């Protein structure tokens, strides 16, 4: 996609070559003493893709399948995501090859602290700021901040984002990604000239992202007709009662398969994707819309709440059929935007209020969707290619200004 964007923009191949490889890759062995007294050594990674626009930013994941290739790709994606919403970060990603479900809380804490100390020379508020990702959370971020603070001899809350509010975290972070999805969806409806009244929405995945996206759109008057979780999907033409659904989920342990109400029908996740709604929000996992089902997607607009829910071949087919696809690097960037606010709050010693967070998030997300819209019209391309072109141009402009007077070389 970056190469296509570069061709559209007439960007020199040297920049593409440079941005095809990360600035820095760090692999470490992390020794941890287990509760039984034995030692295990885990493999840890951190990749910093590009710091031309500012310190690197990206999550840390704990998963048995974490590998360097995956982390490289995710770090690059973060570069483009930060650039498309125009916040002053580059992209990074990290992880540890571990199944955290096999560790006690004490073992997980020791692993987190050991990984932090091994990586610490390459982390810092002005260098690289981690955040939660798969199987990590605000408690893990608290351990990272505490380990770094102890090693450096002074508090460094800005070294991570996604912390507990009591330790310098920011209000509104938990719902930020979902709120961002809702903001982008509503703005795109305006750009397309679609009236909100009567717009029908299906949301695949009712976790943190899908739940807050659905809430935001329902508050704006859209009908949330279908939602799903890992157990299955529920559909009610005309709209679900989200308050009733939430009550059921709290009581049942998040199983939509057991939810019942007048007019509600049960579907599979695959069937939800093919409903005849106006807006489809895949907010679960990657590769949900593929060449196998792309031709059966009946939504007029797809807004990617998850990372990579649509394969490139499926995207091509959707666009050819006139479906509007809002790409993940724009649609789900609300989380990193509010992480930026947390970083600013920590650096400045401020305490942001929830209304301030929501207002600034909307301002940045609306500005980003407007910039992508303008780029798409100027280049005559779809929104995904426009988003990557906009991000690439911003990164290349930063490199050019930093290296003015010097030759640009690949690598």
């Amino acid at each position: 996609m970056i190469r296509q964007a570069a061709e559209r923009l007439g960007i020199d191949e040297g920049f593409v070559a440079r941005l095809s490889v990360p600035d820095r890759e760090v692999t470490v062995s992390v020794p941890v003493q287990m509760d039984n007294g034995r030692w295990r050594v885990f493999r840890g990674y951190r990749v910093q893709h590009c710091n031309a626009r500012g310190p690197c930013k990206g999550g840390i994941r704990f998963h048995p399948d974490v590998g360097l290739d995956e982390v490289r790709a995710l770090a690059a994606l973060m570069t483009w995501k930060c650039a498309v919403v125009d916040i002053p970060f580059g992209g990074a990603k990290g992880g540890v090859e571990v199944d955290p479900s096999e560790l006690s809380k004490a073992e997980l804490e020791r692993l987190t602290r050991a990984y932090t100390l091994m990586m610490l020379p390459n982390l810092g508020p002005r260098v690289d700021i981690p955040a939660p990702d798969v199987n990590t959370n605000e408690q893990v971020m608290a351990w990272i901040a505490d380990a770094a603070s102890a090693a450096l001899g002074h508090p460094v809350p800005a070294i991570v984002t996604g912390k507990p509010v009591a330790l310098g975290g920011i209000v509104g972070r938990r719902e930020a990604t979902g709120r961002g999805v809702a903001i982008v969806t509503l703005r795109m409806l305006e750009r397309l000239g679609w009236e909100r009244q009567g717009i029908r929405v299906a949301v695949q995945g009712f976790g943190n992202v899908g739940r807050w996206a659905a809430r935001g759109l329902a508050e704006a008057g859209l009908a949330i007709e279908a939602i799903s979780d890992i157990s299955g999907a529920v559909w009610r033409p005309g709209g679900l009662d989200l308050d009733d659904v939430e009550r059921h989920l709290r009581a049942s342990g998040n199983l939509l398969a057991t939810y019942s109400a007048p007019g509600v029908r049960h579907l599979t996740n695959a069937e939800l994707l093919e409903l005849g709604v106006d807006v489809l929000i895949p907010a679960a996992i990657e590769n949900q819309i593929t060449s196998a089902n792309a031709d059966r997607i009946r939504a007029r607009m797809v807004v990617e709440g998850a990372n990579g829910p649509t394969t490139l071949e499926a995207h091509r087919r959707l666009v050819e059929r006139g479906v509007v696809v809002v790409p993940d690097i724009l649609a789900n960037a609300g989380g990193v935007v509010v992480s930026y606010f947390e970083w600013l709050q920590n650096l400045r010693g401020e305490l942001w209020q929830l209304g301030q967070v929501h207002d600034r998030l909307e301002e940045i997300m609306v500005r980003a969707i407007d910039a992508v819209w303008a780029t798409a019209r100027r280049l005559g391309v779809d929104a995904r290619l426009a988003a990557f072109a906009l991000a690439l141009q911003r990164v290349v402009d930063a490199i050019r200004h930093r290296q003015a007077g010097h030759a640009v070389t690949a690598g």
Side-chain angles (χ1 to χ4, degrees):
M1 189 62 66
I2 287 300
R3 193 167 296 278
Q4 293 180 44
E7 291 173 357
R8 287 280 183 172
L9 296 169
I11 288 175
D12 186 86
E13 176 65 26
F15 288 107
V16 177
R18 171 177 179 153
L19 292 166
S20 297
V21 294
D23 288 347
R24 180 178 291 106
E25 298 179 354
V26 182
T27 302
V28 295
S29 297
V30 186
V32 178
Q33 188 172 28
M34 311 307 285
D35 291 343
N36 62 9
R38 296 183 178 180
W39 288 81
R40 287 182 62 185
V41 179
F42 300 90
R43 184 73 68 183
Y45 307 97
R46 189 70 180 173
V47 173
Q48 297 163 352
H49 175 254
C50 178
N51 65 0
R53 287 173 45 84
C56 293
K57 188 83 185 75
I60 293 174
R61 55 181 53 190
F62 290 170
H63 195 277
D65 295 331
V66 166
L68 196 53
D69 286 343
E70 175 191 48
V71 175
R72 283 188 191 116
L74 293 169
L77 190 65
M78 285 301 300
T79 293
W80 313 127
K81 185 174 292 189
C82 293
V84 80
V85 292
D86 205 16
I87 56 176
F89 288 141
K93 211 73 172 186
V96 178
E97 291 180 38
V98 60
D99 183 349
S101 68
E102 297 178 352
L103 273 58
S104 69
K105 185 176 181 179
E107 290 169 338
L108 187 61
E109 179 178 355
R110 290 196 290 272
L111 171 64
T112 301
R113 291 179 180 274
Y115 171 84
T116 302
L117 294 179
M118 295 293 288
M119 288 292 179
L120 193 54
N122 299 290
L123 303 179
R126 303 288 187 179
V127 180
D128 183 359
I129 308 105
D133 202 272
V134 176
N135 293 329
T136 58
N137 54 25
E138 62 181 25
Q139 178 59 74
V140 173
M141 297 305 107
W143 289 331
I144 292 174
D146 187 62
S149 297
L152 297 173
H154 59 86
V156 281
I159 199 170
V160 292
T161 60
K163 303 178 296 295
V165 172
L167 293 180
I170 194 165
V171 293
R173 173 63 182 87
R174 185 169 300 171
E175 66 266 29
T177 304
R179 286 186 66 88
V181 170
I183 291 166
V184 167
T185 302
L186 294 171
R187 186 61 171 179
M188 183 58 84
L189 292 176
E190 292 180 18
R191 284 296 191 177
L192 293 168
W194 298 0
E195 294 291 336
R196 292 185 186 182
Q197 186 176 3
I199 292 291
R200 299 159 299 145
V201 182
V203 180
Q204 186 204 35
F206 205 60
N208 197 46
V209 177
R211 177 174 286 151
W212 286 104
R215 279 286 181 190
L217 293 174
E219 290 171 4
L222 278 62
I224 311 301
E225 290 198 341
I227 58 174
S228 70
D229 64 10
I230 194 169
S231 71
V234 292
W235 170 46
R236 181 178 181 274
L240 292 158
D241 182 339
L242 293 184
D243 289 334
D244 189 52
V245 171
E246 293 272 13
R247 283 191 293 270
H248 167 78
L249 292 177
R250 285 193 295 269
S252 69
N254 285 12
L255 286 175
L256 282 171
T258 60
Y259 175 70
S260 63
V264 169
R265 291 178 52 188
H266 287 266
L267 307 172
T268 66
N269 267 279
E271 289 171 330
L272 177 146
L273 293 173
E274 299 172 12
L275 287 173
V277 294
D278 299 294
V279 178
L280 171 63
I281 302 176
I285 57 176
E286 68 277 0
N287 298 330
Q288 295 300 290
I289 303 175
T290 69
S291 58
N293 64 356
D295 293 337
R296 298 195 300 273
I297 302 299
R298 291 188 287 160
R300 295 192 291 161
M301 180 162 67
V302 174
V303 182
E304 296 184 330
N307 285 322
T310 311
T311 66
L312 289 180
E313 173 60 21
H315 169 81
R316 182 186 66 77
R317 293 192 188 182
L318 291 174
V319 171
E320 286 178 351
R321 292 172 44 219
V323 178
V324 177
V325 181
V326 183
D328 50 2
I329 65 166
L330 170 61
N332 67 23
V336 74
V337 171
V338 175
S339 283
Y340 167 57
F341 299 161
E342 181 178 337
W343 178 72
L344 287 176
Q345 174 184 262
N346 295 156
L347 289 178
R348 297 171 177 175
E350 298 175 346
L351 184 63
W352 286 36
Q353 302 302 311
L354 186 60
Q356 182 182 6
V357 172
H358 287 173
D359 289 347
R360 288 290 308 278
L361 173 62
E362 182 166 5
E363 175 188 340
I364 287 178
M365 297 303 292
V366 167
R367 188 166 64 231
I369 190 70
D370 286 352
V372 169
W373 177 271
T375 302
R377 291 173 66 86
R378 176 170 60 86
L379 298 179
V381 299
D382 62 86
R384 188 185 304 280
L385 187 51
F388 275 97
L390 178 64
L392 176 62
Q393 187 67 69
R394 286 172 171 168
V395 173
V396 168
D397 286 346
I399 294 172
R400 282 176 171 151
H401 285 299
R402 288 166 66 107
Q403 298 187 344
H406 299 278
V408 175
T409 59

